[in-house]
Amino acid sequence: MLCRGKHPTKVRIDFRQIGGQCEIVCQRGLGGVPLLIAIVNVTALNKGFVPLHGSSFVYDRIGVIVTGWAKGGKTEALLAFGDNGAQYVGDEWYC
């Protein structure tokens, strides 16, 4: 049971299913699904994809993807290039 504010909220994750077809059941009122990014990453790896956290933009007609750890400066690089004419593509997870 997870507590959000005054009301407890429940979520059920069958960890034996992670990496394949996984069902996550959440009660109404849950602000976010716990461990969702980790579950998606493990599932992607199991299917032969490498999940990357990154920012992407086009600068001088060249597509650029900057990847790395959380809080590593990817968004800041995107914003700095944006100040110099780069076009925004995305800023999240890629597979």
Side-chain angles (χ1 to χ4, degrees):
M1 182 180 317
L2 301 174
C3 291
R4 285 273 199 217
K6 297 179 182 177
H7 305 288
T9 306
K10 294 181 184 177
V11 65
R12 185 180 71 227
I13 302 171
D14 185 349
F15 289 93
R16 296 170 297 178
Q17 295 178 340
I18 294 175
Q21 185 172 344
C22 181
E23 180 179 61
I24 300 172
V25 180
C26 300
Q27 265 186 343
R28 183 179 309 178
L30 186 64
V33 178
L35 304 174
L36 180 62
I37 297 296
I39 291 168
V40 170
N41 287 343
V42 169
T43 302
L45 286 168
N46 192 46
K47 295 185 181 293
F49 296 96
V50 176
L52 298 173
H53 189 244
S55 293
S56 57
F57 53 90
V58 176
Y59 181 72
D60 197 23
R61 299 186 322 199
I62 298 172
V64 178
I65 297 177
V66 180
T67 64
W69 300 109
K71 308 296 181 203
K74 299 172 299 297
T75 301
E76 290 78 2
L78 167 70
L79 293 172
F81 273 90
D83 280 345
N84 290 288
Q87 296 175 312
Y88 172 83
V89 175
D91 186 36
E92 276 305 318
W93 291 93
Y94 305 91
C95 286

